[in-house]
Amino acid sequence: MSDIGLKDCRNIGIIAHIDAGKTTTTERILFYAGVIHKMGTVDEGNATMDWMAQEQERGITITSANTTCFWNDKKINIIDTPGHVDFTIEVERSLKVLDGAVVVLCATSGVQSQTETVWRQADRYQVPRIAFINKIDRLGANYQNVVSQIRDRLGCNAAPIQILDGTEEDFKGIVDIVDNKYYVYEDEQGSKIKISDVPEYLKDKVQEARHDLFEKLADADDMIMERFLEEQEISTQEIKEAIRKSVIANTFMPVLIGTALRNRGVQLLLNAACDYLPSPLDVPPVWGIDPKSEEEIKRPTDVKAPFSGLIFKVATDPYVGKLFYTRVYSGSIGSGEQVYNSTNKTKERLAKIVVMHSNKQVIAQKASAGEIVALVGLKGAKSGDSICDQDHPIIIENMRIPEPVVSMSIEPKTKADQDKLGLTLRKFLDEDPSLRVNYDQDTAQTIISGMGELHLDIIIDRMKREFNLETDIGRPQVAYKETIQGKAMGITGKFISQSGGRGQYGHVVINVEPAENRGEGVVFVDKIRGGSIPREYIPAVKKGIDSGALNGILAGYPVTDIVVTLVDGSFHEVDSSELAFQLAAKIALKEALAKGGSVFLEPVMDLELTSPEEFMGALLGDLNTRRAKIVNLGTQGTLKTARCEVPLAEMFNYANTSRSLTQGRASFAMEPAFYAEVPKYVADKIIGARESLLAKK
């Protein structure tokens, strides 16, 4: 791809809360861009981007899907992402490699819990955004209210660049206040658009909206501020350039309106994506680590630079095998060429390069800087690996992987399928970094852990459909953790063994304290001075601490959020070994956990509930029995809303409960918020259940 091509390329993602209309919006984009000739719908299960059987049956997006289209002489690579929190890894890895994003919001529901989650993910990777307020034709739609929520709840400097003529089902057209044009859709498909000057009855409203736009844009652009304060005329081109510059700098977000299902406003959204979202040349060079020197290096978006790319997703195709979705950051690569996997230090040869359109592939001869493609033929690569030119190695920073919150036991229905289960789980682990698998020695069970019940349900369903593997599963278990309440100072751990010949001797003294913040894990600090423990044994002590933290003293759950400081110890010139110091460290940690007052931590969910007013009392009463803490009560049009913090352990099968209490008229969304200490009476139940399970084994 030449520099001109790079300038006219847009790598964008569609992100939003579940049911905001991401997939429907993408479907319309593909229709108007001429990629498809008939518009599908999510409800009918024939949307282009929802190609998995599970997606079509459930009416939700499960896996992110890539496609490419052309609009206004711009090439647009689009990734449609899931909105359900259980599949948040798909959003995470997509945003890692994208240059811009369209945030879709519902005109009635506004900013919802998962909207905030995807917003934080976009902030993490500093992805420039534009917003599209969808479903503007629905009863109770209020785009001004949604803009206020964007500003207040997301802390974003945002302003509409369009206003509506009419409300709800009676809306007639859209006014673009940047170019002062009035757009009216003349057919049901939304293909025929009449463009005219702004009607007289809307001019005051437009003037007011332009004043709001300039006021917000002035906070991000000095030229606009100067012209605005001096009340000088600002041309359309100058406004567009200021918006683009501010969007790329993440200091302003333009807001557009429409209804994708009724085919209104999508072409204007495409225009805005081309006008305001960055090209690969507008984003900073990618940073990474030189694996030889471990120094930070960067690669510019240039086809002449050494080749580098990041494998951000692995998927299995029944016909071509594994597809390695890759963002090419610099240089270029051709089919049949050799690449160097700098993450696992291996050389591999590409069989072919394909451009994806949902689950279909178009063969390409080469891939260049700024492109998103899928590679075929790699053997040992996995999601998150960096590939590059062997003479110019770089390890690109990986995406953040969320911690799983739900676990369940799994075993094949027949002993003959035991090996098949292991191979199948390995394939899923290669595809999905948010999935975890471990073997519980105490209960002799294989445990799979994921982001929620739905996440694990989909895994089980895929095993049956794609691999013909029938399994038995245990009840979902919460991913509890252990930590300490108080300090345990000067704790000694000794491992001394003498059984003839060379013995074993390890002796450590540690201090263990609670971490200041949740989520820090196990922090090891070495404060050995004067050589009381030789330097070569320090890594063994850390390994022993890490190993001991895998199983706490209460019920064998992992230990987290502690700071372990190695302060003293001793060694024997002949008998000391790495193994002896590992075991001594484990002994010391167990004693420290007991002395520091080990307690359980449980995942607490952020629950957002929406319901007709007559059912809200029953819902809140039920939530009180689930140890929920009500954070906020509000109103959303004709509906009542509640925001709560509730332990995940209390929320299994909540969907059925909420349906029965509200005749199916309530909706809710949950996402992991934080870990909190478990009340003692609940902790006693957890310990009892664990002991009962072990007794059965």
Side-chain angles (χ1 to χ4, degrees), residues 181-245:
K181 294 296 180 185
Y182 182 53
Y183 295 81
V184 175
Y185 289 82
E186 297 185 314
D187 65 335
E188 281 297 313
Q189 272 196 340
S191 299
K192 296 178 181 176
I193 306 174
K194 180 183 177 183
I195 305 174
S196 60
D197 292 332
V198 178
E200 197 65 37
Y201 66 90
L202 285 173
K203 285 190 175 177
D204 288 345
K205 195 175 176 183
V206 169
Q207 196 58 38
E208 185 181 326
R210 281 174 72 89
H211 186 276
D212 180 50
L213 171 63
F214 292 153
E215 198 172 61
K216 295 298 180 184
L217 198 52
D219 291 340
D221 188 276
D222 291 340
M223 183 274 291
I224 296 291
M225 177 183 284
E226 192 176 308
R227 297 280 189 90
F228 178 62
L229 292 175
E230 294 176 3
E231 298 184 358
Q232 295 180 4
E233 188 66 31
I234 308 172
S235 70
T236 299
Q237 188 59 34
E238 287 173 330
I239 299 170
K240 287 188 174 183
E241 287 174 1
I243 292 175
R244 177 175 174 78
K245 180 181 165 187

Side-chain angles (χ1 to χ4, degrees), residues 605-662:
M605 310 299 284
D606 185 352
L607 171 72
E608 195 168 88
L609 191 63
T610 305
S611 167
E613 185 173 4
E614 62 263 34
F615 302 116
M616 186 56 79
L619 288 170
L620 294 179
D622 175 70
L623 285 171
N624 282 331
T625 68
R626 298 172 185 267
R627 299 191 281 130
K629 176 186 175 185
I630 310 299
V631 176
N632 184 46
L633 296 173
T635 303
Q636 196 175 85
T638 60
L639 301 174
K640 293 294 180 183
T641 63
R643 194 159 191 171
C644 317
E645 292 170 356
V646 57
L648 174 64
E650 306 290 346
M651 295 303 288
F652 290 120
N653 206 33
Y654 182 68
N656 290 335
T657 302
S658 65
R659 285 192 198 109
S660 64
L661 288 174
T662 65

Side-chain angles (χ1 to χ4, degrees), residues 275-414:
D275 289 341
Y276 306 131
L277 288 176
S279 75
L281 293 174
D282 296 316
V283 296
V286 67
W287 284 85
I289 301 292
D290 185 329
K292 294 176 182 175
S293 65
E294 295 192 353
E295 293 179 355
E296 279 197 343
I297 53 176
K298 61 182 179 180
R299 289 283 163 79
T301 307
D302 187 348
V303 293
K304 296 177 182 176
F307 168 70
S308 66
L310 179 71
I311 298 172
F312 65 94
K313 177 177 173 177
V314 180
T316 302
D317 184 275
Y319 302 106
V320 301
K322 283 188 177 179
L323 293 165
F324 298 86
Y325 288 75
T326 303
R327 166 67 190 258
V328 181
Y329 283 105
S330 62
S332 61
I333 189 75
S335 293
E337 292 185 19
Q338 190 179 79
V339 297
Y340 179 64
N341 187 323
S342 55
T343 305
N344 58 26
K345 299 177 181 175
T346 57
K347 300 177 194 173
E348 302 214 46
R349 189 168 297 280
L350 297 180
K352 60 180 177 179
I353 300 170
V354 295
V355 175
M356 298 301 297
H357 175 56
S358 189
N359 62 331
K360 298 179 177 63
Q361 302 126 26
V362 178
I363 294 176
Q365 294 305 310
K366 64 182 294 188
S368 303
E371 292 189 290
I372 295 175
V373 296
L375 308 178
V376 180
L378 304 180
K379 304 295 182 187
K382 59 185 185 300
S383 181
D385 282 2
S386 299
I387 53 176
C388 56
D389 181 335
Q390 187 175 0
D391 295 331
H392 302 87
I394 183 173
I395 298 177
I396 298 166
E397 181 189 17
N398 198 357
M399 71 285 290
R400 174 182 168 274
I401 309 300
E403 284 294 316
V405 295
V406 173
S407 302
M408 64 172 62
S409 62
I410 181 170
E411 57 184 38
K413 285 189 180 293
T414 64

Side-chain angles (χ1 to χ4, degrees), residues 282-578:
D282 296 316
V283 296
V286 67
W287 284 85
I289 301 292
D290 185 329
K292 294 176 182 175
S293 65
E294 295 192 353
E295 293 179 355
E296 279 197 343
I297 53 176
K298 61 182 179 180
R299 289 283 163 79
T301 307
D302 187 348
V303 293
K304 296 177 182 176
F307 168 70
S308 66
L310 179 71
I311 298 172
F312 65 94
K313 177 177 173 177
V314 180
T316 302
D317 184 275
Y319 302 106
V320 301
K322 283 188 177 179
L323 293 165
F324 298 86
Y325 288 75
T326 303
R327 166 67 190 258
V328 181
Y329 283 105
S330 62
S332 61
I333 189 75
S335 293
E337 292 185 19
Q338 190 179 79
V339 297
Y340 179 64
N341 187 323
S342 55
T343 305
N344 58 26
K345 299 177 181 175
T346 57
K347 300 177 194 173
E348 302 214 46
R349 189 168 297 280
L350 297 180
K352 60 180 177 179
I353 300 170
V354 295
V355 175
M356 298 301 297
H357 175 56
S358 189
N359 62 331
K360 298 179 177 63
Q361 302 126 26
V362 178
I363 294 176
Q365 294 305 310
K366 64 182 294 188
S368 303
E371 292 189 290
I372 295 175
V373 296
L375 308 178
V376 180
L378 304 180
K379 304 295 182 187
K382 59 185 185 300
S383 181
D385 282 2
S386 299
I387 53 176
C388 56
D389 181 335
Q390 187 175 0
D391 295 331
H392 302 87
I394 183 173
I395 298 177
I396 298 166
E397 181 189 17
N398 198 357
M399 71 285 290
R400 174 182 168 274
I401 309 300
E403 284 294 316
V405 295
V406 173
S407 302
M408 64 172 62
S409 62
I410 181 170
E411 57 184 38
K413 285 189 180 293
T414 64
K415 291 289 183 185
D417 281 339
Q418 192 67 51
D419 290 341
K420 189 176 181 181
L421 175 65
L423 292 170
T424 304
L425 286 173
R426 170 50 54 194
K427 289 179 180 177
F428 283 121
L429 287 171
D430 288 342
E431 291 183 20
D432 186 353
S434 66
L435 181 69
R436 304 279 198 282
V437 177
N438 69 287
Y439 185 74
D440 190 323
Q441 297 283 355
D442 294 330
T443 61
Q445 289 179 313
T446 299
I447 308 295
I448 59 173
S449 305
M451 298 305 299
E453 284 183 275
L454 181 59
H455 182 198
L456 297 182
D457 282 348
I458 296 296
I459 295 292
I460 301 301
D461 190 43
R462 287 185 62 195
M463 283 184 180
K464 184 177 179 180
R465 295 190 194 214
E466 296 173 25
F467 300 96
N468 196 28
L469 178 61
E470 298 277 357
T471 57
D472 290 322
I473 57 172
R475 183 183 181 276
Q477 299 293 316
V478 175
Y480 292 108
K481 295 184 180 181
E482 293 183 28
T483 191
I484 59 172
Q485 288 178 306
K487 296 181 179 180
M489 312 300 282
I491 305 300
T492 298
K494 280 188 177 182
F495 181 78
I496 303 173
S497 174
Q498 195 70 48
S499 57
R502 181 179 173 180
Q504 295 284 353
Y505 182 93
H507 169 217
V508 301
V509 181
I510 61 173
N511 296 334
V512 182
E513 306 168 74
E516 286 188 15
N517 303 305
R518 290 275 182 248
E520 290 190 21
V522 179
V523 180
F524 178 75
V525 181
D526 171 23
K527 284 196 176 178
I528 290 294
R529 300 291 180 268
S532 56
I533 297 177
R535 304 311 304 169
E536 62 264 28
Y537 294 133
I538 302 299
V541 175
K542 182 181 185 303
K543 190 174 181 181
I545 296 295
D546 291 339
S547 175
L550 294 176
N551 302 100
I553 62 172
L554 296 179
Y557 290 106
V559 180
T560 189
D561 297 341
I562 60 172
V563 179
V564 180
T565 306
L566 178 62
V567 294
D568 203 0
S570 63
F571 72 103
H572 190 282
E573 289 189 0
V574 177
D575 292 347
S576 285
S577 66
E578 290 187 2

Side-chain angles (χ1 to χ4, degrees), residues 90-108:
E90 295 288 334
V91 184
E92 190 81 30
R93 57 185 171 191
S94 298
L95 287 172
K96 168 66 181 171
V97 300
L98 290 168
D99 300 325
V102 176
V103 184
V104 181
L105 301 106
C106 173
T108 56

